[in-house]
Amino acid sequence: MIKTLFTWDLGATKCAAGLIEYHAATDHYHCVRRCALKLTAAISLNDLIDQLEATLDFSMADADAICIGAAGIYDGKHLILEDAYPYDMPFAELANQRTWPPFAIIHDYAPVVCATFTHCLHDPAYTRHLSTCPINPFGRRVAIGIGTGLGIKDGVLLANGDFWLGQNEGGHIGISLAPETDAIMRAQHAALMEFLALDDAHPVTFQKILSGAGTVRLQQFFYPTSQNLTPESVGIAIRAGLADKTLKAFAWYLGLFIGTMQLIFMPDGGIWIAGGVIMQHLAVFDYLEFQQGIEASPAYLKQRKQFPLGILIHHDNALIGGAYYAVKHLL
């Protein structure tokens, strides 16, 4: 039996969508077609849906189920984002008008967790493992997504193939250092925190550094003569080897965030990292600063070294994860 799922990965600035086939006999998910559109390429949600269907040559009404992993909060009628989408998102109304099959709108990193419940976790085309630690298949696992913002989602796979997902906003945790942190790093951290506080009176959170906009802030701090910066231009500079200080600092704070998540969740099912920023800067994991950031807090370090760690490197991971959610909760 083959089921056809239409899945979205809807971020704050762009939307990826895919047509996923689920083969029940082999428990395998296959992305038949995918596309990605900037939200500003459409003038309304209705127009966005039309463009996705035209690009993928498939009507969502013909799918067996639809799963939308989305930034923001869905109130049962509208999808609402704190920084606002470019147009209203009245999903319930349009789903009724378009006679959609069963559908769900879920936290944007829930599909990333769900992707780790599939064959993607053990396929080197989809996942790069940063450790050789054994994965407890029914242990808590955490997905970290770094893109326009910083998000996490934790989950647990159950023996029957169903799952449990947590509720959290880990990206908004404030940054603090352990007393044992290297003195040079502490001094740099203090200077960076003072710099970041200049444009925002709110406490500095991990998201302010670990995001697309965060790379711009780091670039401004380390290279103050840089002009007209965007996440894209900073990415180009980093990949050209012209912003080494920026990437090293990013690596250290990413390690610090991972260490913090290890202490919070003790995830023997692993921490799995995804997102557009990470996909553009995979070299970050080769820096010594990344491991130093993880070890900046020595608490429970021996136990934490036993937790799996990896990167979800394939663009289809979130789309396949959404299909897994649909198979288990919508069909």
Side-chain angles (χ1 to χ4, degrees):
M1 180 186 301
I2 298 176
K3 295 292 185 180
T4 301
L5 299 315
F6 204 116
T7 62
W8 298 29
D9 181 13
L10 177 58
T13 58
K14 67 179 181 179
C15 177
L19 196 61
I20 312 295
E21 288 185 348
Y22 171 63
H23 297 252
T26 59
D27 196 31
H28 190 85
Y29 296 81
H30 173 62
C31 184
V32 179
R33 294 191 291 277
R34 78 181 310 276
C35 68
L37 299 173
K38 287 193 173 182
L39 298 187
T40 52
I43 60 173
S44 66
L45 177 59
N46 207 37
D47 183 33
L48 178 64
I49 294 171
D50 284 341
Q51 291 192 44
L52 293 175
E53 290 184 334
T55 304
L56 294 178
D57 191 26
F58 191 89
S59 171
M60 295 186 200
D62 294 333
D64 291 298
I66 299 168
C67 183
I68 300 170
I73 297 174
Y74 183 58
D75 65 5
K77 294 183 178 180
H78 293 77
L79 179 62
I80 302 167
L81 185 64
E82 183 177 339
D83 295 329
Y85 284 109
Y87 32 77
D88 191 24
M89 295 285 187
F91 274 100
E93 177 184 349
L94 291 182
N96 182 58
Q97 291 176 0
R98 291 171 171 265
T99 62
W100 276 6
F103 76 97
I105 300 175
I106 60 177
H107 186 280
D108 48 348
Y109 293 114
V112 180
V113 175
C114 289
T116 72
F117 301 148
T118 73
H119 57 85
C120 295
L121 187 62
H122 305 288
D123 187 334
Y126 289 84
T127 305
R128 173 181 162 190
H129 293 263
L130 298 176
S131 76
T132 58
C133 301
I135 302 168
N136 177 0
F138 305 118
R140 188 183 298 268
R141 59 189 78 188
V142 176
I144 296 175
I146 303 176
T148 303
L150 171 64
I152 74 162
K153 177 63 69 174
D154 67 307
V156 175
L157 178 66
L158 305 179
N160 64 358
D162 201 353
F163 52 86
W164 172 90
L165 296 174
Q167 302 291 328
N168 44 59
E169 286 294 342
H172 299 283
I173 294 175
I175 303 173
S176 62
L177 302 186
E180 298 87 351
T181 303
D182 175 77
I184 295 176
M185 190 60 221
R186 290 186 70 85
Q188 178 178 291
H189 173 77
L192 177 59
M193 294 301 104
E194 184 177 348
F195 172 81
L196 294 177
L198 293 177
D199 71 338
D200 189 345
H202 293 91
V204 177
T205 66
F206 277 104
Q207 179 165 280
K208 198 163 186 179
I209 294 175
L210 299 177
S211 62
T215 63
V216 172
R217 296 184 182 104
L218 289 174
Q219 185 77 351
Q220 290 170 331
F221 175 72
F222 288 107
Y223 303 93
T225 59
S226 300
Q227 300 292 323
N228 302 318
L229 294 176
T230 64
E232 291 77 15
S233 66
V234 173
I236 291 171
I238 288 174
R239 291 188 293 278
L242 302 176
D244 202 45
K245 292 179 181 178
T246 296
L247 192 58
K248 285 184 176 180
F250 187 92
W252 194 88
Y253 283 103
L254 176 57
L256 183 66
F257 185 65
I258 287 172
T260 302
M261 295 300 102
Q262 287 175 335
L263 285 168
I264 292 172
F265 294 105
M266 289 295 179
D268 55 350
I271 288 182
W272 310 99
I273 311 163
V277 172
I278 288 301
M279 294 288 283
Q280 293 295 320
H281 303 304
L282 290 175
V284 72
F285 300 103
D286 299 325
Y287 278 89
L288 177 62
E289 284 79 3
F290 173 66
Q291 192 62 40
Q292 289 174 335
I294 293 177
E295 298 178 3
S297 174
Y300 296 96
L301 188 56
K302 181 178 180 181
Q303 292 91 328
R304 287 160 49 205
K305 285 184 176 181
Q306 304 305 310
F307 298 151
L309 180 63
I311 321 161
L312 300 179
I313 58 174
H314 201 288
H315 290 291
D316 293 343
N317 273 305
L319 299 175
I320 289 174
Y324 185 92
Y325 184 99
V327 167
K328 299 301 180 183
H329 280 206
L330 297 178
L331 297 184

